[in-house]
Amino acid sequence: MNAMALTLLTPIRTLHFEDGDLVVLMTKQGSEGFLYNHVPTLVEVVPGALRYRVPDPFGGEDTWRIFFVSVGYAEIQCDHVTVVVNAAELPGEIDEKRAMSALKRAEDRLKRPNLTKLEQEHAEHRVRRAKARLAFHRRYCSNETAQ
């Protein structure tokens, strides 16, 4: 196996793994995967799942490390992906009630009259992020063994 290392950087944590072979993350173009020997590139990361596949050394079923990440960017090199984002959470770290409250607050803010263009863009971003966190929670929190 040709390993594809992953470094995940946020303002409050740094995670590094070297036992996987595939990094999949959400970009503006949709879900993109990166394997060993990928051409060097830089992509914009949008809120969603970051998945890191760890092959079973004995040919069994692969496991996945899964994170919810917010906005940022990823630098892809031939044997390493570095992801720099504002926040990264494991499935068990997302509180569904808190995420639903965040969505309601963001939607309420978006409905306010006389928002400046910047305030509207910020509110729209908050709505997108809250919806992405809730979708991630629905998909992965019932399956935390996939971490």
Side-chain angles (χ1 to χ4, degrees):
M1 171 192 81
N2 290 321
M4 185 62 141
L6 169 67
T7 302
L8 179 57
L9 303 170
T10 75
I12 60 170
R13 87 167 77 169
T14 298
L15 300 168
H16 182 77
F17 306 100
E18 295 185 352
D19 55 349
D21 68 346
L22 172 65
V23 177
V24 181
L25 48 84
M26 292 301 297
T27 71
K28 283 197 165 189
Q29 288 71 40
S31 181
E32 294 191 49
F34 304 98
L35 292 164
Y36 180 82
N37 213 22
H38 195 282
V39 65
T41 189
L42 192 65
V43 296
E44 185 176 351
V45 176
V46 299
L50 181 154
R51 299 180 300 139
Y52 185 59
R53 182 174 68 188
V54 181
D56 184 300
F58 304 107
E61 190 171 330
D62 298 339
T63 58
W64 291 85
R65 290 194 180 99
I66 302 169
F67 306 88
F68 175 82
V69 295
S70 63
V71 296
Y73 68 91
E75 177 188 33
I76 293 83
Q77 296 296 322
C78 72
D79 63 350
H80 194 106
V81 175
T82 302
V83 180
V84 181
V85 290
N86 291 333
E89 300 170 277
L90 291 164
E93 295 173 343
I94 296 177
D95 180 330
E96 185 177 22
K97 289 180 183 174
R98 190 170 147 247
M100 290 172 68
S101 294
L103 176 59
K104 182 171 178 2
R105 284 192 311 274
E107 289 174 337
D108 289 347
R109 182 174 187 101
L110 196 55
K111 292 176 187 173
R112 290 182 186 171
N114 303 323
L115 287 177
T116 67
K117 183 176 180 174
L118 182 61
E119 289 171 330
Q120 182 170 350
E121 288 174 3
H122 283 229
E124 289 169 351
H125 169 73
R126 288 183 184 110
V127 168
R128 283 191 303 273
R129 181 174 187 269
K131 286 181 177 179
R133 286 181 79 226
L134 285 168
F136 178 89
H137 184 274
R138 281 187 219 95
R139 180 165 185 183
Y140 296 108
C141 288
S142 63
N143 189 15
E144 289 184 9
T145 58
Q147 297 176 33

